[in-house]
């Protein structure tokens, strides 16, 4: 199993809307997302001899300050293996954080309510405030 990180594309938006709907989270309008829906990353899984399957995605909002904002993390409900989904989300959060740091942001912020997602952020090193 190999996890692959790539930029989201406009083709991904409808799929992500289905995922948000499954998780009972209102899908943000495309023009609400950073860079009109292109300002995010997704994690896919590639197994030997198969096409990659998208597992999760999230978006990085850039600001004119030293703060970037991570938001709208969503996962593919068809990935039933919780361990794989967990690892992919943590991998995504790490990559979005590194992306922000490489762009010069000193702080990365997320506003969360979901306890499972909060724990994944903590695993990456985020602190509650």
């Amino acid at each position: 199993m190999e996890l692959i990180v790539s930029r989201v594309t406009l083709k991904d938006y409808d799929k992500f809307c289905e995922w948000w709907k499954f998780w009972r989270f209102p899908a943000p309008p495309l023009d609400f997302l950073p860079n009109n829906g292109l300002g995010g990353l997704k994690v896919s899984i590639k197994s030997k001899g198969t096409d990659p399957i998208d597992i999760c995605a999230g978006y990085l909002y850039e600001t004119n300050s030293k703060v970037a904002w991570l938001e709208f993390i969503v996962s593919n409900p068809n990935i039933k293996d919780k361990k794989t989904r967990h690892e992919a989300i943590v991998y995504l959060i790490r990559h979005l954080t590194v992306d922000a740091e490489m762009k010069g942001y000193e702080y990365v912020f997320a506003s969360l309510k979901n306890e499972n997602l909060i724990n994944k952020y903590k695993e990456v090193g985020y602190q509650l405030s």
Side-chain angles (χ1 to χ4, degrees):
M1 171 183 83
E2 176 186 0
L3 294 177
I4 302 163
V5 176
S6 59
R7 295 265 169 216
V8 298
T9 67
L10 290 179
K11 295 186 309 186
D12 294 317
Y13 179 71
D14 289 338
K15 170 178 45 192
F16 298 160
C17 285
E18 291 174 19
W19 296 357
W20 281 310
K21 182 178 180 180
F22 176 88
W23 296 114
R24 295 182 199 101
F25 190 88
L30 190 59
D31 62 358
F32 188 85
L33 295 170
N35 198 18
N36 288 311
L38 298 175
L41 299 175
K42 65 181 178 180
V43 175
S44 307
I45 188 169
K46 177 140 176 69
S47 298
K48 208 173 197 176
T50 66
D51 289 332
I53 299 169
D54 295 337
I55 302 175
C56 59
Y59 292 86
L60 178 68
Y61 286 82
E62 298 184 50
T63 71
N64 62 355
S65 68
K66 292 291 182 183
V67 178
W69 180 33
L70 242 107
E71 188 55 87
F72 298 113
I73 303 287
V74 65
S75 65
N76 182 344
N78 296 316
I79 303 297
K80 300 301 182 192
D81 183 345
K82 288 182 181 183
K83 182 178 180 219
T84 297
R85 200 168 57 229
H86 174 90
E87 288 175 10
I89 294 170
V90 168
Y91 197 66
L92 172 67
I93 294 166
R94 281 193 180 112
H95 275 78
L96 285 166
T97 303
V98 168
D99 191 29
E101 291 169 349
M102 289 176 61
K103 291 176 177 178
Y105 293 98
E106 292 183 26
Y107 311 100
V108 183
F109 172 81
S111 178
L112 306 167
K113 292 181 182 178
N114 181 289
E115 194 66 35
N116 286 327
L117 194 53
I118 289 169
N119 289 334
K120 289 172 180 67
Y121 273 81
K122 285 180 182 177
E123 190 174 325
V124 175
Y126 280 72
Q127 299 174 9
L128 292 177
S129 60

